[in-house]
Amino acid sequence: MFLMHLGETVWESYGQESVLQPIWDYMRLHHSDTLRSPLFPVILSVSSYFVLCLPYLLCDLVGEKWPAVHRYKIQPCKLPTASMIRRCIGITLRNHIFLVFPAAVAQWAWRPPVPLPEKAPMLLELVGGVVGNLLLFDLQYFIWHLLHHKVRWLYVTFHAIHHEFSAPFVLATQCIGGWELVTVGFWTTLNPILLRCHILTAWAFMVAHVYVSVEDHCGYDFPWSSSRLIPFAIYGGPSKHDVHHQKPNTNFAPHFSHWDKMFGTHADFSFVKWKKRSS
């Protein structure tokens, strides 16, 4: 009886208040001005990107001197050169200076501060919202990506810059044209609104999306890669996207595998293994 009563009490308290409520209360009460600023999502996204890039960039810089890590390199004979790193950094900085920063300033000047709800989202609500946003973005980018490979003018004009590297490395994640950056940013901002997500869920999605995008381009297939942790081969991960850079008419979906399998554009990871043996 005691255990039943305890279970009922825990369930009732969970139904009334989210386990995230204490964290949300602290954030809302102590950092309200920062969180309500239209600049905050931009700062969160940009800072997350550079922080998450650093470990993978270190792996590439150390290279074969770190055998325990280098053995997980998908294309071990193709490490980024200094000129490749400089080019990616230059393009990323150009995009942020001329596109991201002006957009952030415009938001700050024209958009009112964001209201913060008193209630935090339920944990399952937050997780479900993040997954839902990733699935919606996966469909949107699959269509965009497919069109920009099938229509030559779109590919040459907007997307070819991202395919300068047949062996992806982490800084190639945002080595993209301005049109692609604007489109991705638009969906990342719009999708949580369409799904009516709590603002904390929207921020969690932004960080999660940055992480999986960085991981897709990192060039390493570690044991803790998302594709290895998520069962039933429903998630692509770095190996799948590495194949896309070697074989550009395959694997158009950015994260999951179902759209490519449905439309016949899925390429198996064995292609990567074949490239390794032939190196």
Side-chain angles (χ1 to χ4, degrees), residues 2 5 12 25 28 48 84 97 111 113 132 142 145 154 166 169-170 194 207 240:
F2 171 76
H5 178 70
E12 287 174 1
D25 285 341
R28 183 172 55 86
S48 298
M84 292 163 64
I97 292 171
R111 182 180 173 185
F142 173 79
H145 201 186
L154 291 175
S166 61
F169 64 103
V170 67
L194 293 176
V207 175
K240 176 188 171 185

Side-chain angles (χ1 to χ4, degrees), residues 7-278:
E8 290 175 357
T9 303
V10 171
W11 177 256
E12 287 174 1
S13 64
Y14 176 78
Q16 293 172 2
E17 184 175 280
S18 169
V19 295
L20 300 172
Q21 192 64 49
I23 300 173
W24 178 243
D25 285 341
Y26 176 82
M27 294 169 63
R28 183 172 55 86
L29 296 175
H30 293 84
H31 303 284
S32 176
D33 291 340
T34 300
L35 298 177
R36 294 175 71 233
S37 170
L39 292 176
F40 177 72
V42 178
I43 295 172
L44 178 67
S45 179
V46 172
S47 59
S48 298
Y49 173 71
F50 287 109
V51 169
L52 291 169
C53 279
L54 287 176
Y56 295 112
L57 182 60
L58 177 63
C59 292
D60 279 334
L61 293 177
V62 176
E64 296 179 355
K65 298 177 183 177
W66 201 350
V69 172
H70 188 71
R71 67 193 182 99
Y72 294 108
K73 181 75 173 169
I74 298 173
Q75 298 188 58
C77 297
K78 294 185 177 179
L79 288 170
T81 63
S83 62
M84 292 163 64
I85 293 173
R86 285 195 300 269
R87 173 151 176 79
C88 286
I89 291 175
I91 291 171
T92 302
L93 290 178
R94 183 189 67 191
N95 285 338
H96 281 76
I97 292 171
F98 292 106
L99 291 172
V100 176
F101 181 71
V105 171
Q107 278 194 327
W108 174 76
W110 298 332
R111 182 180 173 185
V114 179
L116 300 177
E118 291 186 6
K119 292 289 185 181
M122 293 296 183
L123 182 59
L124 289 178
E125 177 189 345
L126 184 141
V127 173
V130 170
V131 174
N133 276 283
L134 287 173
L135 286 168
L136 179 56
F137 179 86
D138 207 60
L139 170 61
Q140 293 163 331
Y141 192 80
F142 173 79
I143 296 171
W144 187 98
H145 201 186
L146 182 68
L147 287 174
H148 282 70
H149 273 269
K150 298 301 183 183
V151 180
R152 180 165 178 76
W153 179 80
L154 291 175
Y155 179 81
V156 172
T157 307
F158 299 115
H159 191 55
I161 187 173
H162 187 62
H163 280 272
E164 292 181 2
F165 313 108
S166 61
F169 64 103
V170 67
L171 293 180
T173 307
Q174 289 198 7
C175 186
I176 55 179
W179 164 243
E180 184 168 355
L181 181 67
V182 169
T183 305
V184 170
F186 175 74
W187 286 328
T188 305
T189 304
L190 178 65
N191 288 355
I193 299 173
L194 293 176
L195 298 182
R196 302 180 67 179
C197 294
H198 190 284
I199 192 166
L200 184 60
T201 304
W203 295 337
F205 160 62
M206 288 182 181
V207 175
H209 182 251
V210 170
Y211 171 73
V212 293
S213 298
V214 166
E215 186 191 52
D216 281 352
H217 293 85
C218 72
Y220 291 85
D221 190 13
F222 290 115
W224 56 84
S225 294
S226 300
S227 55
R228 293 183 178 271
L229 299 178
I230 299 174
F232 310 119
I234 61 174
Y235 192 85
S239 289
K240 176 188 171 185
H241 197 70
D242 202 285
V243 171
H244 172 70
H245 276 259
Q246 298 177 55
K247 198 175 181 182
N249 285 319
T250 63
N251 295 348
F252 294 112
H255 308 311
F256 297 91
S257 300
H258 55 279
W259 293 116
D260 284 302
K261 290 178 179 178
M262 288 171 61
F263 286 90
T265 53
H266 175 79
D268 192 71
F269 305 155
S270 60
F271 182 84
V272 178
K273 296 176 183 176
W274 178 82
K275 293 288 282 188
K276 284 183 181 179
R277 287 197 300 266
S278 64

